[in-house]
Amino acid sequence: PAFAPQGAVACLTAVSNFYYTVMFWIYVEFQLSEPPDFPFWFSPAQFTGHIILFKDATHVCDFRLFVPNHWSLNVDMEWLYVASESSHMGADIGYIPQMELEATGPSDGSMIDSHLPLGEPQQFVFEEIKWQQELSWEEAVRQLASAMYPFKKTVLESSLILTLLNKSFISTWSLVKELEELQGNQENPAHQKLAGLHLEKYSFPVEMKICLPNGTVVHHISANYFLDITFMKPEKIESNLFSFSPTFEDPSMATYMQFLKEGLWHGLPLLQP
């Protein structure tokens, strides 16, 4: 992909006497057409999966690679519709119910017909693996996210920031499409109002917000602006940007801490009885 997240990350999640289990995330972008046709890019939100393989890599016990489908949107599409120096781009997001690749037979190089005469899949039986060390799914996801997203690797590894988040905030997220559906739901006026308050403060593509329990947004910042600060050299950043967090040298930590504290500064007076 042209923008982050990019590439692939993997995490060793289980070890036995003879086998490893590796969990991975992969971010790819498919270009489905090339000039003279207008280019079209198809980008699944994420490929995730796992592989169980012999320690000497001679064969694979299990393999699965798939696009998660538990979100209401999971694919990004972009296309060029005018061929000129000032490119004109179209963009949309959508949903694919299934996109996966799964191993159905042995991987030791033997030539075996994987289907029985009647067309039923051949069942391959491997020894029962007794794992000596295992990493929980939650911890594996945390490590993969930290490796893939620079923001989480730096900001959310700060004990000061984690303490502030745990003490004063409840973290969540939502897709714009889901907020729009809630806003259009005539049967639940309360949800309509809450969704409307968030959509009023939204700017493409991602907005970070701090709000009160009643839905009032007291502070927000564009993710694009945040990333611009994250990758900016310290000497090019105005000194007053870090007025709330002089202990941080990393721009992303300083900016995020300032964002949280400004949100508290704006929000706490409104919570007073």
Side-chain angles (χ1 to χ4, degrees), residues 19-95:
Y19 293 94
Y20 291 128
T21 296
V22 178
M23 180 177 171
F24 49 81
W25 288 356
I26 304 173
Y27 291 86
V28 298
E29 179 180 83
F30 300 98
Q31 183 172 331
L32 303 186
S33 57
E34 298 180 355
D37 297 325
F38 291 138
F40 182 95
W41 295 273
F42 181 86
S43 305
Q46 175 195 107
F47 281 102
T48 189
H50 70 272
I51 183 170
I52 302 176
L53 71 164
F54 204 67
K55 283 186 174 181
D56 65 2
T58 56
H59 68 272
V60 172
C61 275
D62 189 38
F63 173 83
R64 188 184 179 212
L65 174 73
F66 64 97
V67 176
N69 59 5
H70 58 279
W71 302 307
S72 58
L73 298 169
N74 63 359
V75 62
D76 176 77
M77 296 162 285
E78 298 181 11
W79 58 92
L80 185 68
Y81 59 85
V82 175
S84 65
E85 293 183 358
S86 57
S87 299
H88 290 71
M89 296 290 296
D92 199 359
I93 49 179
Y95 177 78

Side-chain angles (χ1 to χ4, degrees), residues 88-117:
H88 290 71
M89 296 290 296
D92 199 359
I93 49 179
Y95 177 78
I96 47 177
Q98 183 178 23
M99 187 175 185
E100 65 179 307
L101 180 65
E102 187 172 6
T104 59
S107 63
D108 58 5
S110 58
M111 299 297 293
I112 299 178
D113 185 355
S114 62
H115 291 80
L116 297 172

Side-chain angles (χ1 to χ4, degrees), residues 161-213:
I161 290 176
L162 287 175
T163 298
L164 183 60
L165 286 172
N166 291 331
K167 179 180 178 181
S168 304
F169 297 90
I170 297 175
S171 299
T172 187
W173 63 276
S174 178
L175 295 170
V176 173
K177 180 177 181 291
E178 294 172 346
L179 292 175
E180 291 174 341
E181 291 174 352
L182 289 173
Q183 190 180 36
N185 184 1
Q186 303 293 333
E187 298 180 358
N188 197 322
H191 287 178
Q192 277 188 308
K193 180 181 178 181
L194 291 172
L197 291 171
H198 285 283
L199 289 170
E200 285 178 3
K201 302 296 183 181
Y202 169 74
S203 61
F204 181 85
V206 177
E207 193 79 14
M208 299 162 58
K209 304 175 187 176
I210 296 175
C211 65
L212 302 180

